Amino acid sequence: MRKKVAFYTLGCKLNFSETSTIARSFKDEGFDRVDFNDPADIYVINTCSVTENADKRFKTIVKQAQKSNPNAFVAAIGCYAQLKPQELADVDGVDLVLGATEKFKITDYLNDLTKNDFGEVHSCEIDEADFYVGSYSFGDRTRAFLKVQDGCDYKCTYCTIPLARGISRSDTLEGVLHNAREISKKNIKEIVLTGVNIGDYGKGEFGNKKHEHTFLDLVKGLDEVEGIERLRISSIEPNLLKNETIDFVSKSKTFVPHFHIPLQSGSNTILKLMRRRYMKELYVDRVARIKETMPDACIGVDVIVGFPGETDELFLETYNFLNELDISYLHVFTYSERDNTVAASMDGVISKRVRAKRSKMLRGLSVKKRRAFYEGQIGSKREVLFENENKEGYIQGFTENYVKVKVPWNPDLVNTLQEVKLTEIDHDGLMRLEFINEMVI
């Protein structure tokens, strides 16, 4: 009987790309992949530690696995596993914890799937995480996440990612293009570029800090890959998003007009405390450049509320800054103290109640911003890539500029690109549409 393995992924697109690659290594070893809710011989949980909630969810997920099969072998990998391996190993039911370099060799640690009395830990010092392992996801969605970079050399005072993933390092350009071609053979219409700090692409391409290629070289190379309909840039730092890249995307064959740019605060005082590498004036400049070259571009923003020292006045500075900025939506993160970060010992701690209130205010602003962006798209002609789920009788999809649409369920639409006209916003906030031509199936 072939063994069965199931995966649960917490966190970012990068984690999803790595889970998919690790899952393929299990297949090569003779395992069959099943859904996490199904009985399996081994459950692998790819952890995240960006927020406090991600830590708390881990125990719940372990219990979920044990409910499906009390005798199953449970392994933990990912950022939380690197940062606090013993903490995970002490969770009842966990058998194996692997750190940043060990996770890609997980099948080497599975000679015996007998349950352990105590969780076994194999975790390197993060300084040893200095080599690159390429990853990409497919099969789970109509789009693929393509990892191009890992690690980070920035020293933001609130962030544990450098401690969890190590120094900034990149895939070779040929490695990225090879993986993109592999994805293109699988009838996947869209690739999302992912990494920890993808604008830093090129650094560590040859196992050192030598730069032969830049992020712009990467974008230009991927634009020439045959068979990919859409390429989407995920999160990119504002100081690394150069005019040349924006201008290239505006004329690109495949890159879509959608940018997600972390801001974190609209107050220069807080940005300095965070040790971000820009001031808010640069952010204004980046947004203006995008809108100048691509007026219908979608711009998403990461922002943190409740950082130490964020007075009511400084929060309102952020709120007003975002309110006036021509952006499309927000991802709001409530600041949570992380061990071994500078911010954790800063003065001016904000109460949890105030953090929650500010988070609610910015989430409300995000709804308003998204609504305004969608209203500006009514009547426009777009191309929609449809997803693969039946959600309460509807199929959903995204335009190239990230407007989420819905039409009555039709399985023939799955993973197809359709020319449409956006007509109205439904009560749930999704866009309705008309097909311009006969559906291309």
Side-chain angles (χ1 to χ4, degrees):
M1 289 286 291
R2 287 167 65 91
K3 298 286 188 183
K4 294 177 180 178
V5 60
F7 295 85
Y8 197 109
T9 305
L10 290 159
C12 61
K13 296 180 179 71
L14 181 55
N15 269 8
F16 277 96
S17 75
E18 291 181 340
T19 295
S20 193
T21 295
I22 291 166
R24 291 193 290 277
S25 73
F26 271 88
K27 187 177 180 182
D28 293 342
E29 294 292 329
F31 285 79
D32 289 329
R33 184 176 181 176
V34 298
D35 188 82
F36 199 82
N37 295 317
D38 294 337
D41 299 288
I42 177 168
Y43 292 90
V44 180
I45 305 168
N46 194 352
T47 64
C48 168
S49 195
V50 171
T51 67
E52 195 174 15
N53 288 339
D55 293 1
K56 290 176 180 175
R57 285 185 65 192
F58 178 76
K59 289 180 182 177
T60 304
I61 297 162
V62 172
K63 286 178 182 175
Q64 185 181 335
Q66 289 179 304
K67 190 175 179 182
S68 296
N69 180 5
N71 298 314
F73 193 89
V74 177
I77 60 174
C79 291
Y80 190 13
Q82 175 63 37
L83 290 170
K84 297 187 176 181
Q86 197 56 53
E87 193 172 296
L88 292 192
D90 290 342
V91 172
D92 185 45
V94 173
D95 300 289
L96 178 67
V97 179
L98 298 180
T101 62
E102 292 82 6
K103 63 187 173 185
F104 293 107
K105 301 175 287 187
I106 182 171
T107 55
D108 294 347
Y109 294 92
L110 301 178
N111 297 325
D112 181 4
L113 294 182
T114 306
K115 293 289 289 179
N116 293 324
D117 292 332
F118 303 99
E120 187 178 318
V121 173
H122 296 274
S123 182
C124 66
E125 293 297 321
I126 197 58
D127 292 347
E128 296 172 34
D130 57 359
F131 58 91
Y132 185 86
V133 178
S135 303
Y136 60 89
S137 70
F138 67 84
D140 306 326
R141 302 159 187 253
T142 53
R143 64 180 68 89
F145 299 137
L146 173 57
K147 175 181 169 184
V148 301
Q149 183 274 342
D150 200 352
C152 188
D153 292 341
Y154 287 10
K155 299 291 188 287
C156 300
T157 54
Y158 53 83
C159 187
T160 58
I161 296 300
L163 301 174
R165 285 189 168 270
I167 60 170
S168 180
R169 54 208 189 273
S170 309
D171 201 350
T172 63
L173 183 56
E174 187 46 50
V176 175
L177 298 180
H178 170 78
N179 285 341
R181 292 185 200 107
E182 290 295 305
I183 293 168
S184 75
K185 295 174 185 175
K186 302 180 188 300
N187 194 32
I188 290 172
K189 302 288 194 296
E190 179 176 310
I191 291 177
V192 182
L193 305 187
T194 186
V196 175
N197 189 358
I198 65 173
D200 209 26
Y201 175 81
K203 190 182 287 184
E205 190 180 356
F206 302 99
N208 51 37
K209 295 301 179 186
K210 179 185 170 189
H211 266 268
E212 180 170 324
H213 296 105
T214 64
F215 184 70
L216 181 60
D217 294 329
L218 175 72
V219 167
K220 287 181 175 178
L222 284 167
D223 201 47
E224 297 299 324
V225 175
E226 296 291 332
I228 298 297
E229 300 280 350
R230 286 181 176 179
L231 286 156
R232 197 178 295 273
I233 298 170
S234 63
S235 183
I236 182 168
E237 294 284 306
N239 52 303
L240 296 175
L241 179 56
K242 306 299 185 185
N243 285 345
E244 295 81 3
T245 302
I246 295 170
D247 294 346
F248 182 83
V249 168
S250 72
K251 302 179 183 71
S252 163
K253 295 179 289 189
T254 49
F255 276 91
V256 295
H258 175 208
F259 296 85
H260 193 92
I261 314 169
L263 169 67
Q264 311 308 14
S265 176
S267 161
N268 285 342
T269 301
I270 298 297
L271 288 174
K272 288 174 184 175
L273 288 173
M274 290 177 167
R275 291 187 195 160
R276 300 292 285 162
R277 298 197 177 193
Y278 53 87
M279 294 291 100
K280 66 181 182 181
E281 290 76 15
L282 174 73
Y283 202 93
V284 171
D285 181 72
R286 299 297 78 206
V287 171
R289 183 73 175 212
I290 291 167
K291 287 295 185 175
E292 181 186 317
T293 56
M294 292 166 276
D296 290 318
C298 179
I299 301 176
V301 183
D302 286 341
V303 61
I304 296 171
V305 297
F307 190 80
E310 186 188 62
T311 61
D312 288 343
E313 293 77 16
L314 294 179
F315 169 71
L316 286 174
E317 189 179 340
T318 291
Y319 185 95
N320 292 331
F321 177 77
L322 289 166
N323 190 35
E324 294 164 12
L325 206 57
D326 191 4
I327 55 167
S328 312
Y329 64 90
L330 304 172
H331 281 173
V332 183
F333 297 89
T334 304
Y335 171 75
S336 60
E337 288 79 0
R338 317 307 290 155
D339 291 343
N340 301 313
T341 60
V342 174
S345 57
M346 283 183 174
D347 296 331
V349 174
I350 309 302
S351 73
K352 296 285 178 71
R353 180 183 61 80
V354 172
R355 293 184 211 185
K357 179 184 174 183
R358 291 176 183 173
S359 178
K360 186 176 180 180
M361 286 177 67
L362 283 184
R363 291 179 201 280
L365 179 61
S366 180
V367 171
K368 174 184 155 187
K369 286 286 186 180
R370 192 185 296 271
R371 178 86 185 190
F373 177 63
Y374 279 24
E375 286 175 350
Q377 297 301 304
I378 293 174
S380 65
K381 294 178 180 179
R382 297 287 168 210
E383 191 174 59
V384 171
L385 173 60
F386 283 96
E387 305 278 307
N388 57 6
E389 286 184 73
N390 184 338
K391 295 193 174 181
E392 299 179 353
Y394 288 91
I395 185 170
Q396 299 178 356
F398 286 93
T399 65
E400 65 272 31
N401 62 340
Y402 214 55
V403 174
K404 195 172 187 179
V405 306
K406 61 184 263 193
V407 294
W409 171 254
N410 179 349
D412 291 336
L413 287 173
V414 170
N415 197 35
T416 67
L417 286 158
Q418 305 290 338
E419 295 289 337
V420 306
K421 180 181 178 182
L422 304 179
T423 56
E424 62 178 324
I425 303 172
D426 209 356
H427 63 88
D428 57 3
L430 273 57
M431 188 73 82
R432 292 286 203 157
L433 56 83
E434 296 173 354
F435 292 95
I436 292 177
N437 305 308
E438 288 293 318
M439 288 185 291
V440 181
I441 307 299

